[in-house]
Amino acid sequence: MSSVTVSGIASRHGLGAQGWPESATQHWNLGTAPLVEMAVQRGEGLLSKHGAFVVETGKHTGRSANDKFIVRDAVTEDAIWWGKTNKSITPAQFAAIREDFNTALAGKDTLFVQDLFGGSQAENRVKVRVITEHAWHSLFIRTLLVRPEAADLADFLPEYTIVDLPSFKADPARHGCRSETIVAVDFEGKTILIGGTAYAGEMKKSVFSILNYLLPLKGVMPMHCSANIGPNGDTAVFFGLSGTGKTTLSADASRTLIGDDEHGWSDTAVFNFEGGCYAKMIRLSAEAEPEIFATTQRFGTVLENVVIDAVTREIDLDDNSLAENSRGSYPIEFIPNASADNLGPVPQNIIMLTADAFGILPPISKLTPDQAMYHFLSGYTARVAGTEIGVTEPDATFSTCFGAPFMPRHPSVYGNLLKERIAKGGVDVWLVNTGWTGGGAGTGGTGSRMPIKVTRALLNAALDGSLKTADFRTDENFGFQVPVSVPGVDSTLLDPRQTWSDKAAYDEKAKALVGMFIANFAQFADHVDAGVMESAPKAA
C-alpha cells in the first residue's frame, strides 16, 4: 500500500518485515476502551446494560478440532504425536494457505495487531504477535494473554505470529483441509493461520499449543489446569476438561487465584500462561460463583454467544439458544483475590477433576504417583445428554493429559514429566468427581449432580491437610484410596455404591466403565512402566 496509517504503539519490527501485506490502517496494541469503541462502531456486537461487550460467533461456538492441521516436515516428523488429534499437511499446502492469507490481508482496509507474551515467568515465555480483522478479537487476545509493559512494545520482535481471519474460506482441494475452516500450524515457520471461524478461543488455544510444544524441551511441565494459592502459601493445581468445574472451583474467595486454564510447572514456580480468564457462562450462578458472575457486569469483559435483549441490553445467562458453550473473557484482575505476579510456588496438591455422568466414581480419592500418571493419561470425563447434538445418554470422553487437542507431543512426554515432579516434590494427588451420584445422568437416569457444597468441603479438607489423616478404604473397582468419613459430609456420598438404590445396576455400570478405561489405555501400554500399568482398574 502506498499510504499506511498507524495508531497505538507499533513495533519497529512491522508487518512488512515479516512478509505480511500492509493494510491502509493498522491499530497496534490498543487498550480496552478504544477497542470496545471500534467494535461497537463496526457493528461487531452490542454493549450490555452493565458494560460487557456481547458478540455472536456464528456457526462456530467452540473449537473446530477436526479442522486443525500441523505442517509435517523434517522438524516435526519425529516430534509430533501424529494421529486423530494431530493431523498433518505438507509444507506445500501450508505455503498455499499462507499465500492466500496474504491475498486476503492485502484486501483488508483495517487490521488490528497485538504484541503479547504467552507465559508469566520471564525465562519460560514466548513472544506472540496476533493479527486480526475484528476489533473484538484484538480485545479478546489482549485480555487473555500477558500484556508487556508499554516501554517494551516499540522494539517487540515476535517469535510466533497468529493471523485470525474469520472471513477467510479455505479450499480443501488446494489447502489439504476438510472444510472452509482452517487452523494451520507451522512450528518450523512459527506461524499459525486461523480462518473460517469467529470463535475466539482458537487464538488462545493456539498459544497453548505453542507452549506445549516448546516447554517440555526445557523440562517445564505445561498443564491444562487452573491454579490457586492457599493462605499458607500452598499451591494447588486443578486439571479438568470443560464442564468439570475447573474455573469455578479455583475461583475460591479463601485462596489466591493464579489462573483458570493454562499453566507451566518449572523448578521454581507454577506460572500462568495467560493474563485473563475464559469461563463458561451458561447458567452461571451469582450464589454459587459470585466472583465469576461479577465479571459479567464489568466493562472490559467480552461475552460470547450470551443472549442479550437488543432494546434493554439485559443479558440472559440461562438462555442456551445461541450456544451451550457461551463464554466470558475478562482480565484476571477482575477476580478480587488474583495473584499480582500471575504465579506461585510449586504445588503441594494436584486435583484431577472429572464429571462422571455414570455415577460410579467417588467424590474424592487419593492417588499414588503411578495412579496419577494413569488417570492423567486417561483424562476421563463424560458428556451429558443435552449438551451436544446427538448425545442422549452419558458418553465417556477420554482426553489425554486433560487436553489432548492442545498436546502436540506424545502424551507420555507430559505424563512422565508430571510423574517425576509429583515424586520429586512429594505432591498429594486427588481425583475429584464433580459429576453424578445416586445413579447416572441421561434419559431414565436416577442420579443427581454432586452438590457443589460437598465438593468444596472435600477440597478444603484435601487442601488444608486434614484429609490425609482420615481413614481410607480401597476402591473395589479402581484401586485408589477413598476416605470413609469427612467432617461435614454425608458418609453415604463417599461410597457411590451405597447411593444407588439398585446395587446390581451400579455393579453392572461400574464394570462397563472399568472396561472403557482399560480399552482406552491400551494405546499407552508400550509407553509407560509396569507400575503405571499395575495402577489400572481391574476387570471383574
Side-chain angles (χ1 to χ4, degrees):
M1 293 254 180
S2 57
S3 176
V4 176
T5 301
V6 176
S7 71
I9 306 175
S11 168
R12 67 183 182 87
H13 307 286
L15 301 186
Q18 295 182 273
W20 301 109
E22 302 260 25
S23 68
T25 301
Q26 300 173 17
H27 299 293
W28 284 73
N29 298 307
L30 298 187
T32 300
L35 286 171
V36 171
E37 285 178 352
M38 290 184 183
V40 171
Q41 291 168 359
R42 291 160 58 90
E44 295 178 3
L46 297 174
L47 207 59
S48 75
K49 179 179 179 180
H50 296 288
F53 183 73
V54 185
V55 65
E56 295 182 21
T57 63
K59 68 177 182 178
H60 292 287
T61 59
R63 290 180 303 100
S64 299
N66 292 327
D67 294 306
K68 179 181 175 182
F69 298 87
I70 299 173
V71 176
R72 192 166 191 158
D73 54 23
V75 172
T76 60
E77 177 64 44
D78 296 326
I80 301 299
W81 184 40
W82 300 108
K84 180 180 178 181
T85 297
N86 296 311
K87 299 179 291 295
S88 68
I89 53 175
T90 66
Q93 288 167 332
F94 184 88
I97 301 169
R98 167 79 188 244
E99 179 182 349
D100 292 346
F101 260 71
N102 274 3
T103 299
L105 286 170
K108 301 296 178 187
D109 58 9
T110 303
L111 290 176
F112 300 86
V113 185
Q114 292 285 342
D115 286 334
L116 301 157
F117 296 132
S120 298
Q121 192 173 41
E123 61 268 36
N124 290 310
R125 68 191 182 195
V126 63
K127 292 180 176 180
V128 181
R129 172 166 294 167
V130 184
I131 305 167
T132 67
E133 62 177 310
H134 292 333
W136 83 265
H137 272 177
S138 192
L139 173 60
F140 171 90
I141 202 62
R142 182 182 187 276
T143 300
L144 263 293
L145 295 187
V146 179
R147 297 166 288 281
E149 297 293 328
D152 297 326
L153 292 173
D155 200 41
F156 192 97
L157 180 61
E159 297 168 83
Y160 280 78
T161 300
I162 298 170
V163 183
D164 192 315
L165 299 179
S167 63
F168 182 87
K169 292 183 178 181
D171 178 356
R174 173 170 162 78
H175 300 143
C177 53
R178 70 174 196 103
S179 73
E180 292 184 342
T181 301
I182 184 70
V183 180
V185 182
D186 180 7
F187 283 118
E188 172 68 3
K190 299 183 177 181
T191 302
I192 298 178
L193 305 175
I194 303 169
T197 172
Y199 180 67
E202 296 285 11
M203 291 182 287
K204 118 187 188 74
K205 290 305 185 187
S206 293
V207 177
F208 190 31
S209 296
I210 292 169
L211 289 165
N212 286 335
Y213 178 74
L214 296 175
L215 291 182
L217 298 178
K218 303 173 68 175
V220 176
M221 173 69 189
M223 304 178 291
H224 185 211
C225 71
S226 56
N228 62 25
I229 311 169
N232 297 319
D234 56 299
T235 296
V237 299
F238 299 74
F239 289 105
L241 299 170
S242 178
T244 59
K246 181 162 52 72
T247 298
T248 296
L249 292 170
S250 59
D252 184 331
S254 67
R255 298 175 66 85
T256 300
L257 180 69
I258 300 174
D260 82 321
D261 196 43
E262 302 168 5
H263 294 80
W265 180 355
S266 69
D267 289 337
T268 58
V270 168
F271 60 98
N272 194 349
F273 287 169
E274 303 181 310
C277 301
Y278 196 37
K280 289 192 78 168
M281 290 289 152
I282 193 68
R283 291 177 287 277
L284 192 70
S285 164
E287 291 71 34
E289 299 142 315
E291 292 87 2
I292 300 173
F293 183 86
T295 68
T296 68
Q297 315 289 302
R298 296 281 300 270
F299 178 79
T301 292
V302 176
L303 298 176
E304 291 179 66
N305 302 310
V306 169
V307 173
I308 182 172
D309 187 301
V311 177
T312 67
R313 302 299 175 90
E314 292 279 3
I315 59 172
D316 185 352
L317 298 176
D318 295 325
D319 189 336
N320 68 348
S321 59
L322 290 177
E324 184 72 22
N325 187 41
S326 58
R327 291 275 177 170
S329 55
Y330 48 89
I332 194 169
E333 57 265 26
F334 280 13
I335 301 296
N337 56 326
S339 164
D341 298 323
N342 235 14
L343 51 78
V346 296
Q348 295 183 18
N349 286 279
I350 290 174
I351 312 297
M352 295 185 183
L353 299 167
T354 180
D356 176 26
F358 298 104
I360 300 302
L361 294 180
I364 195 165
S365 314
K366 194 172 191 304
L367 307 181
T368 66
D370 282 329
Q371 289 172 334
M373 183 172 177
Y374 182 91
H375 284 276
F376 180 70
L377 290 178
S378 296
Y380 166 71
T381 193
R383 296 183 299 173
V384 183
T387 60
E388 295 187 29
I389 296 173
V391 180
T392 57
E393 296 294 332
D395 179 39
T397 297
F398 294 94
S399 184
T400 184
C401 307
F402 294 98
F406 326 118
M407 304 294 174
R409 299 183 183 275
H410 192 278
S412 61
V413 171
Y414 309 103
N416 282 317
L417 267 173
L418 182 70
K419 182 181 174 182
E420 291 166 9
R421 289 198 171 276
I422 289 171
K424 181 180 179 180
V427 182
D428 289 319
V429 185
W430 309 89
L431 180 67
V432 173
N433 174 24
T434 62
W436 271 253
T437 183
T443 305
T446 60
S448 57
R449 194 74 190 252
M450 192 72 67
I452 193 168
K453 289 183 178 180
V454 170
T455 301
R456 287 199 183 278
L458 294 171
L459 276 177
N460 289 340
L463 298 180
D464 68 19
S466 62
L467 192 56
K468 289 197 286 186
T469 62
D471 292 328
F472 288 83
R473 66 175 178 86
T474 301
D475 184 85
E476 63 274 16
N477 296 304
F478 286 86
F480 40 50
Q481 298 296 293
V482 181
V484 175
S485 64
V486 176
V489 176
D490 182 354
S491 295
T492 303
L493 288 173
L494 298 173
D495 185 350
R497 190 172 189 271
Q498 298 309 311
T499 68
W500 283 55
S501 58
D502 187 341
K503 304 298 190 286
Y506 171 86
D507 293 338
E508 181 180 354
K509 188 62 70 175
K511 180 180 179 180
L513 183 59
V514 166
M516 295 177 201
F517 268 86
I518 292 172
N520 172 73
F521 205 80
Q523 62 185 310
F524 305 123
D526 295 335
H527 300 277
V528 299
D529 59 30
V532 176
M533 289 305 299
E534 290 168 5
S535 297
K538 303 300 187 286

